[in-house]
Amino acid sequence: MTVPGRRSSTFIRLLRLGFTDASAAERLLGLPEMTPVLGDPVLLDALGGTADPDLALRSLVRVVEAHRDEDARRRFLDTLVTAKPLRDRLLGVLGSSEALGDHLARHPDDWQALLTYESADLHPGVAEFERGLAEAVDPVSLRVAYRRCLLAIAARDVCGTTGVAEAAAELADLATATLRAALALARAAAPEDAAACRLAVIAMGKCGGHELNYVSDVDVIFVAEPLGGAEEAKALQAATRLASHLMRICSETTVEGAIWPVDANLRPEGRNGPLVRTLSSHLAYYQRWAKTWEFQALLKARPVAGDLSLGEDYIEAVGPLVWQAAERENFVADVQSMRRRVVDNIPVAEIDRELKLGPGGLRDVEFAVQLLQLVHGRSDATLRSGTTLDALRALAAGGYVGRVDAAQLDEAYRFLRALEHRIQLHRLRRTHLVPEGEEDLRRLGRSLGLRTEPVTALNREWRRHAAVVRRLHEKLFYRPLLDAVAQLAPGETRLSAKAAGQRLEALGYADPAAALRHLEALSSGVSRKAAIQRTLLPVLLGWFADSADPDAGLLGFRKVSDALGKTPWYLRLLRDEGAAAENLARVLSAGRLAPDLLLRAPEAVAILGDPEGLGPRGRDHLEQEVLAAVGRAGTAEAAVAAARGVRRRELFRTAAADLIGSYGTEDTPAEADPGALVDRVGSAITDLTAATLAGALRAAVSGPWGDTLPTRFAVIGVGRFGGGELGYGSDADVLFVHEPREGVDEQEAARAASTVVAEMRRLLQLPTADPPLLIDADLRPEGKSGPLVRTLASYGAYYRRWSLVWESQALLRARPMAGDAELGRRFMDLVDPLRYPVEGLGEDAVREIRRLKARMESERLPRGADPTLHTKLGRGGLSDVEWTVQLFQMRHGWAEPGLRTTRTREALAAAQAAGLIATEDAAVLDEAWVLATRVRNAVMLVRGRAGDTFPSDSREVAAVGRYLGYGPGHAGDMLDDYRRTTRRARAVVEELFYGA
C-alpha cells in the first residue's frame, strides 16, 4: 500500500530507468491489457534501456491494444517477456521510431518479423529482401511488406547487431529488391510494353553507392533497348511507360503512405531530358555534352533492376568516361563551384544544424573522397568504389590519403551517418537537420549510447566530429603531397611523383613539377622552420588552390619564407595568429602587385597578423611619419627613399586589405558593398600620395634652403588625386602654385619654385626597388606648353582672360595636397567662381563640353580597343559618368552646396538628393562607376601594371573575376555583367549629358 503523498516504488524506479513522465508510464502499465507483464522486472529494465522509454512504452501499449484476439495478445506478451532477442529488438525500435510504432499498431502481427535470430537473418542480402517482398501484389501491399523489412533492419541497427555501414548497405539492398518488385508490378500491368523492350534500372547516389539512408530519394537512370524486333521509338515509349509506372508505385502516397520518391533527375539533361534513353544515346550525351558533376555522379552508378545484362553494358560503356573527367579543361573550377553552390544554397538559419550539407558535414567527406577518386582512379582501379568508406579505405591503402587522417575521417563519418539515421528513423521523414528540442536531442543522444547527460554529450560529440571533418577536408588533399617529398616512417605509403603531379594539376597548379620542388624545399629537413611549415602547408595549399593562380601563391610563399624563415617572429606569426596565414595565402595568390610589394620588404608580412594592421592610416599620421623619416635622412635622395619606403609599405597594406576584403576569409565574408571597398582604396592611396609629396617637397627644399623657401609653395591635387579617387596605377595630377615672400625678387622666387618642382619630380622617379610616383602637371594653364609652376597672381590673370571651359571643368576636383596651407586655401578661393559659376553654365559652354566629350570618344579610344570593355573611355565607363556628374556640378554647384565636392560619388549622391537626377538613374551611374574603378584596380593588382581594359590572358581574367566576386569558370559572366551594367549607364548618360 502506498502512503498518500508519497511516490510508489514503481514510480521511483521508472524515474531511475530514464522515464521523463513516470506518472503517465505508471498509468499505462496499470491498463488491463498490460496486466500479464505488470510486475515483470525484465520488461521495465528493457524499456529503460531504450532511446526513449516513454515513447517505447506508449507504442508498446498501442501494439498490445491492436491485438484484438486475446490469445494473440497473450502469445505476443509471453514471447516478449521470455525471448530476449525479440524484446531487445522490438523495444529498441519502439523507443527510437514513432513511425515504425505506428506501423506495428496498424499491423500488429508484424512483430514476428523480429522473432527469428538465425545467421541469415542477421545479414540479409537482396535475395532475402526479395523473398520478404514476394507476396506483394499491389502498391499498398508492397508498402506493408517494405515496412516489415525496414522494421527488421531498424531492429538490427538500434540494437547494435549491425553497424552504420552495414545498415546503410541493407537499406540499399532493400531498395534494390523494392525497385525489382515495383518493376514486376509495372510489367504485369502492361505485358505488351514489357515484351517490346529491355529496360535496365541504374541506381545512382546513395542507393548506387550501397549506403542508403532510412528516408532518401532513390536516384535512378533508365536505359532501354528494343526487344523482339520492335522499333526503337516504340520500344522507348514502352520503356518510358514502364519506368513512369515504377516511379509512381514507389513514390505515390497510399493509405500505407509512400515508400520513397524515385528521382530520375540525374539523367542526361535532367528533368528536361527524356526519362528513358538507349545506351547509344546515353553515350553520345556523355561524350559531347555532360558536365563534370555528371561524371562525379556516375561514380556510384550500379545496375539494380530490370535487364541486368543491359545495365552492365551501360556501366562498361560510361565507366571509362568517368575516369577521364579529371582531364577536362575546367575540372578544378567545376568541382570547387559545385561545393560552393551547395553551401550557398543552405538557408542561413539552418546552416549550423545542417548535418549533411553544412561545414564539417557528410557532404564534405563524400565530396573530398569523390574528388580524390576522380583524380587518382584514372590510373588506379582499386579506388573505383561507389561506397564512401570503402573508397576512403582504398585511398589510405594506396597512400593517397594519410592513414591517420583516413581513420579519423572514417570515425567522424560513421558518427555523422549514425546521427542522420537516428534523426530520420524517428518519424521516417527525409531530413538532415539536427533538431533543437531538448526531448529530441535526449532521445538521439541515448540512441547513440550517450546515457550520461545525453544532450550535452551529443552536442559535444557532434561538434567534435564536425570539427575533425572541417579540419581534414582540406588536409586530405594536401598532406599526402608533402609526404610525397618527405622521409616517411617504415611501412607508410607515399604518393608517387606521378600521382602527386596529377593531384596538383587537378587542384589548379599549372606547373606541378615546380610546385613539388617548392614543397620539397619548404618542408625538407629537421629544423623548426621545416616542422612548422610542414604543419602550415596543407592548409596554405588549399587556400592557394582556391585562387586563380595557385603556382604564384606557392612560389611567393617560398620566397617570403626564404627571406624571413630564420626570423623567429615570422614563423610564430603564421603558426599562432589564425588570420595571418590565410591572409598571406590570399595576398600571395591573387596577383602580382601585392607580392611584389611584399617581397621588396618581407617584414611587412607582420601587417597581416595584426587585427588592426589592415586598417588605413590617416593622412595626418602618414604625413607625420614621412616628414620624420625625411628629417632623419642625410641627403635628399635618402630622404625620398625613406618616404617611398613608407609608400611601398602602405600600398601593400592597402592592397592586402582590398584583396582580403574582396575575397573574404573562412571567418569573415567578403565585403558586401563594393562601393565601400573602392572608397577605402581611393582615400588610402590619395592620403598616401599626399604624404609622399609632402615628404618630397620637404626633401627638395631642405637641402638648398633649409626650412624656408624664398617663396610660398603649394601642391594642388586635381583629377583623381584631387577627387580622393586614386587607384593603384594612377599618376598624381597636380598644379604647382607659389607666391614670393615679402621682399623676395619675383625672378628669384620663380627660379626657386621651378627648382623645387624639378627636384621633386627627379627624386620621386629615381630608379629604386620601390614603385615610382609619377607627377603629371598637364592640366595646368596652357597644358604642356605652359610653365610648370605659376604665381597665384599669374593663375588669376590667366583664368580671367584665357581660361577655357575644359579648364574650369578640370578645377572641379582641385584640392590642396601639400605645402603652404594658406596659399592652397587662397588658390581655392580663386578658382571657386570658375568651377561653380553664378547662375550656372551658359548654353554655349554646355555645347562646348558636349562637343569636347564627343571628340574625346571618337579620337582617344585606343585603336583596336573594345569600346564595351574599356573602363575609362568606353561606353558607360568612368569618363561617361564623371563628365555627366561634372556637368551637373558646373550648372548647379553655385546653388547646391552639396555639389561642391571633388568626389564623384558624393557629387552624384548630392545631385540625386537635390532632385536633379532620378534615384534609379543615380544608382545606375554609381554602380557603373564603382564597377569600372574596381576593374582598373583589379587589373593593376593582377598584372602589376596599369590597364584600362580586361586582360587577354585567361588566368589573369580569372583572377580579375575572383577579385570581383566571380567563382571559378565564371569569367564570361563577369564580362556579360560588365557590358550590361555599362550599357545601362550609357543610356542614362545619353539622356542626362547629351539631352537625348
Side-chain angles (χ1 to χ4, degrees):
M1 173 179 159
T2 302
V3 178
R6 291 182 61 186
R7 297 295 189 182
S8 69
S9 59
T10 303
F11 180 91
I12 295 170
R13 186 177 181 193
L14 290 170
L15 287 178
R16 287 174 178 165
L17 286 171
F19 285 84
T20 57
D21 190 347
S23 298
E26 237 185 338
R27 286 195 299 274
L28 290 172
L29 288 168
L31 292 173
E33 293 85 352
M34 299 298 290
T35 300
V37 294
L38 177 59
D40 188 270
V42 175
L43 178 64
L44 286 183
D45 288 343
L47 285 166
T50 65
D52 186 341
D54 300 86
L55 174 62
L57 179 57
R58 286 198 304 273
S59 297
L60 176 61
V61 169
R62 292 179 63 207
V63 175
V64 171
E65 290 174 338
H67 284 88
R68 303 300 182 189
D69 180 74
E70 192 69 33
D71 292 338
R73 181 185 302 164
R74 185 176 294 109
R75 185 168 62 254
F76 167 63
L77 290 173
D78 288 347
T79 310
L80 183 67
V81 172
T82 58
K84 185 178 188 308
L86 170 69
R87 185 169 59 248
D88 291 345
R89 289 175 167 198
L90 178 63
L91 296 183
V93 169
L94 295 179
S96 298
S97 178
E98 188 175 316
L100 289 176
D102 292 342
H103 171 81
L104 283 168
R106 291 195 304 275
H107 305 281
D109 291 337
D110 278 1
W111 66 270
Q112 295 176 72
L114 307 181
L115 191 55
T116 55
Y117 202 71
E118 305 300 328
S119 58
D121 177 57
L122 295 182
H123 302 288
V126 176
E128 287 76 21
F129 288 125
E130 283 190 291
R131 284 196 292 273
L133 302 177
E135 296 179 6
V137 295
D138 56 37
V140 174
S141 58
L142 180 61
R143 280 152 176 69
V144 175
Y146 173 84
R147 289 290 172 91
R148 188 183 305 121
C149 293
L150 192 66
L151 183 67
I153 294 174
R156 288 187 291 274
D157 182 10
V158 299
C159 292
T161 307
T162 56
V164 64
E166 291 81 6
E170 288 183 15
L171 288 164
D173 285 341
L174 176 56
T176 296
T178 306
L179 288 169
R180 292 179 182 180
L183 182 56
L185 291 176
R187 285 177 176 276
E192 67 285 354
D193 286 342
C197 64
R198 300 168 64 199
L199 175 64
V201 183
I202 311 296
M204 304 287 284
K206 282 189 158 47
C207 183
H210 225 224
E211 51 188 16
L212 197 59
N213 298 329
Y214 276 100
V215 187
S216 175
D217 291 359
V218 170
D219 296 308
V220 299
I221 283 177
F222 296 106
V223 58
E225 294 291 342
L227 183 63
E231 294 178 15
E232 183 177 293
K234 291 186 177 178
L236 284 175
Q237 291 171 358
T240 301
R241 287 191 291 269
L242 290 173
S244 299
H245 193 185
L246 177 153
M247 294 174 70
R248 289 196 303 275
I249 289 170
C250 297
S251 305
E252 286 182 348
T253 302
T254 70
V255 291
E256 289 292 339
I259 301 177
W260 18 248
V262 176
D263 188 342
N265 287 336
L266 291 178
R267 67 187 185 269
E269 299 181 75
R271 66 182 66 231
N272 297 319
L275 182 63
V276 183
R277 290 175 182 256
T278 62
L279 178 54
S280 60
S281 175
H282 277 283
L283 204 55
Y285 173 84
Y286 286 121
Q287 288 171 336
R288 188 169 185 185
W289 303 111
K291 296 180 176 62
T292 299
W293 70 263
E294 293 177 278
F295 293 113
Q296 187 176 356
L298 284 171
L299 272 172
K300 296 184 178 294
R302 179 171 65 95
V304 291
D307 191 316
L308 296 182
S309 174
L310 176 58
E312 292 294 346
D313 291 343
Y314 173 88
I315 298 300
E316 188 176 337
V318 301
L321 301 177
V322 174
W323 306 113
Q324 295 166 14
E327 298 167 11
R328 292 163 63 89
E329 183 179 351
N330 293 317
F331 174 72
V332 180
D334 287 345
V335 293
Q336 288 175 340
S337 64
M338 280 189 286
R339 180 69 187 113
R340 282 195 197 88
R341 190 160 56 245
V342 167
V343 174
D344 291 346
N345 287 335
I346 303 173
V348 175
E350 296 179 356
I351 196 164
D352 289 335
R353 296 190 296 123
E354 176 58 66
L355 194 62
K356 178 180 178 182
L357 303 178
L362 292 162
R363 183 57 62 86
D364 273 354
V365 182
E366 293 159 359
F367 195 86
V369 168
Q370 288 165 23
L371 180 55
L372 289 174
Q373 285 181 278
L374 289 172
V375 171
H376 298 297
R378 47 185 162 163
S379 57
D380 188 344
T382 65
L383 305 180
R384 298 177 183 180
S385 170
T387 306
T388 300
L389 291 176
D390 290 349
L392 183 58
R393 264 194 305 278
L395 287 164
Y400 302 100
V401 172
R403 290 183 185 274
V404 174
D405 292 346
Q408 291 180 333
L409 210 58
D410 181 285
E411 180 190 4
Y413 186 74
R414 288 177 188 272
F415 176 85
L416 295 172
R417 283 301 303 272
L419 179 55
E420 180 186 43
H421 277 187
R422 296 296 190 271
I423 291 170
Q424 293 185 347
L425 183 59
H426 183 224
R427 290 197 172 93
L428 289 181
R429 289 180 184 169
R430 183 176 180 237
T431 179
H432 308 286
L433 291 179
V434 177
E436 296 177 290
E438 185 90 5
E439 183 180 333
D440 290 325
L441 292 172
R442 179 176 181 272
R443 182 191 67 257
L444 288 172
R446 284 172 59 92
S447 75
L448 294 171
L450 306 171
R451 297 304 171 100
T452 304
E453 297 187 359
V455 175
T456 302
L458 174 66
N459 280 318
R460 183 178 60 246
E461 286 297 292
W462 171 32
R463 300 301 177 190
R464 179 175 72 84
H465 286 296
V468 166
V469 172
R470 275 199 304 275
R471 178 172 57 84
L472 292 181
H473 178 226
E474 297 294 345
K475 188 181 175 187
L476 206 65
F477 296 120
Y478 307 111
R479 177 88 252 168
L481 293 170
L482 298 192
D483 293 342
V485 295
Q487 295 295 319
L488 298 186
E492 282 290 309
T493 309
R494 75 169 76 216
L495 280 181
S496 67
K498 177 183 176 183
Q502 285 178 333
R503 185 175 303 189
L504 284 164
E505 190 175 358
L507 292 166
Y509 288 82
D511 189 348
L516 279 174
R517 289 196 298 273
H518 298 324
L519 290 177
E520 185 170 13
L522 287 162
S523 62
S524 60
V526 295
S527 66
R528 178 173 172 270
K529 169 188 172 184
I532 292 176
Q533 290 181 160
R534 280 195 295 271
T535 302
L536 287 169
L537 274 166
V539 183
L540 287 170
L541 284 169
W543 288 324
F544 293 149
D546 194 37
S547 74
D549 195 350
D551 301 80
L554 182 55
L555 175 61
F557 180 66
R558 181 178 176 183
K559 288 180 177 178
V560 173
S561 288
D562 286 347
L564 294 177
K566 294 181 181 179
T567 311
W569 64 262
Y570 166 68
L571 293 171
R572 190 166 57 246
L573 172 80
L574 295 185
R575 184 190 64 198
D576 299 339
E577 296 291 341
E582 184 179 2
N583 289 344
L584 179 61
R586 300 297 183 203
V587 167
L588 289 176
S589 57
R592 294 181 185 174
L593 178 65
D596 285 350
L597 293 169
L598 177 60
L599 291 170
R600 287 169 184 157
E603 63 276 4
V605 76
I607 289 171
L608 303 175
D610 179 359
E612 305 299 324
L614 294 173
R617 300 298 185 255
R619 180 170 165 184
D620 291 344
H621 177 101
L622 290 169
E623 192 167 315
Q624 184 179 4
E625 181 182 2
V626 167
L627 292 178
V630 168
R632 290 191 296 269
T635 65
E637 287 78 7
V640 171
R644 287 172 67 178
V646 173
R647 179 171 178 264
R648 178 200 58 237
R649 184 198 68 209
E650 294 304 319
L651 273 176
F652 173 73
R653 187 194 309 275
T654 303
D658 188 17
L659 289 166
I660 292 163
S662 298
Y663 270 69
T665 65
E666 291 187 351
D667 296 327
T668 307
E671 170 64 63
D673 179 9
L677 283 172
V678 164
D679 290 344
R680 279 202 292 272
V681 170
S683 296
I685 298 179
T686 299
D687 288 344
L688 178 56
T689 301
T692 307
L693 288 178
L697 176 59
R698 175 72 60 86
V701 170
S702 60
W705 295 283
D707 292 335
T708 306
L709 191 66
T711 184
R712 293 183 178 86
F713 186 92
V715 182
I716 309 297
V718 288
R720 296 194 173 283
F721 185 27
E725 299 163 350
L726 285 179
Y728 297 107
S730 300
D731 297 344
D733 289 318
V734 297
L735 301 175
F736 297 109
V737 58
H738 79 102
E739 185 177 65
R741 295 186 185 276
E742 190 174 342
V744 175
D745 179 71
E746 284 196 11
Q747 288 188 338
E748 179 190 350
R751 281 195 299 271
S754 296
T755 301
V756 166
V757 171
E759 181 68 353
M760 285 179 68
R761 300 181 80 179
R762 181 186 75 83
L763 291 171
L764 289 170
Q765 295 180 55
L766 283 174
T768 69
D770 297 315
L773 175 57
L774 301 178
I775 297 176
D776 187 341
D778 288 354
L779 292 177
R780 66 187 183 270
E782 302 179 73
K784 293 181 180 180
S785 303
L788 275 171
V789 58
R790 290 174 181 261
T791 63
L792 184 64
S794 174
Y795 274 105
Y798 175 86
Y799 286 138
R800 279 193 302 273
R801 188 169 184 183
W802 305 109
S803 177
L804 300 175
V805 68
W806 72 264
E807 292 176 297
S808 298
Q809 184 180 353
L811 291 170
L812 282 168
R813 297 207 273 189
R815 182 159 60 109
M817 288 297 182
D820 190 298
E822 173 62 19
L823 180 60
R825 186 190 61 75
R826 288 165 58 206
F827 181 88
M828 305 315 297
D829 291 341
L830 171 69
V831 300
D832 272 352
L834 291 168
R835 53 185 182 173
Y836 309 124
V838 177
E839 302 299 331
L841 287 179
E843 285 304 313
D844 289 345
V846 171
R847 277 194 297 273
E848 176 63 11
I849 288 177
R850 288 171 176 164
R851 187 187 66 79
L852 286 170
K853 176 73 169 69
R855 179 181 167 191
M856 184 176 71
E857 288 176 13
S858 63
E859 295 179 1
R860 290 186 59 190
L861 190 70
R863 182 176 298 175
D866 183 346
T868 67
L869 294 176
H870 198 279
T871 58
K872 183 176 181 181
L873 302 173
R875 178 194 69 189
L878 296 170
S879 174
D880 270 1
V881 177
E882 288 165 2
W883 281 60
T884 301
V885 171
Q886 289 161 13
L887 182 60
F888 276 94
Q889 288 181 281
M890 296 181 74
R891 297 181 81 173
H892 304 284
W894 67 278
E896 292 291 341
L899 290 171
R900 297 173 209 158
T901 174
T902 63
R903 291 178 175 266
T904 302
R905 297 188 73 210
E906 284 184 7
L908 182 58
Q912 183 263 317
L916 301 173
I917 300 178
T919 300
E920 184 178 343
D921 289 346
V924 168
L925 294 179
D926 185 73
E927 182 185 10
W929 188 89
V930 167
L931 179 57
T933 303
R934 292 204 76 210
V935 171
R936 289 182 102 203
N937 284 344
V939 169
M940 184 66 184
L941 285 167
V942 169
R943 303 179 70 194
R945 60 183 188 273
D948 288 319
T949 190
F950 289 87
S952 55
D953 178 81
S954 60
R955 182 161 282 208
E956 290 178 346
V957 171
V960 170
R962 298 303 300 278
Y963 172 82
L964 295 177
Y966 292 87
H970 288 279
D973 295 338
M974 170 183 69
L975 298 178
D976 289 345
D977 288 347
Y978 182 86
R979 287 188 172 103
R980 184 183 309 110
T981 300
T982 53
R983 184 174 62 246
R984 293 171 60 210
R986 179 64 185 194
V988 174
V989 170
E990 292 282 356
E991 180 182 348
L992 298 181
F993 183 83
Y994 288 111

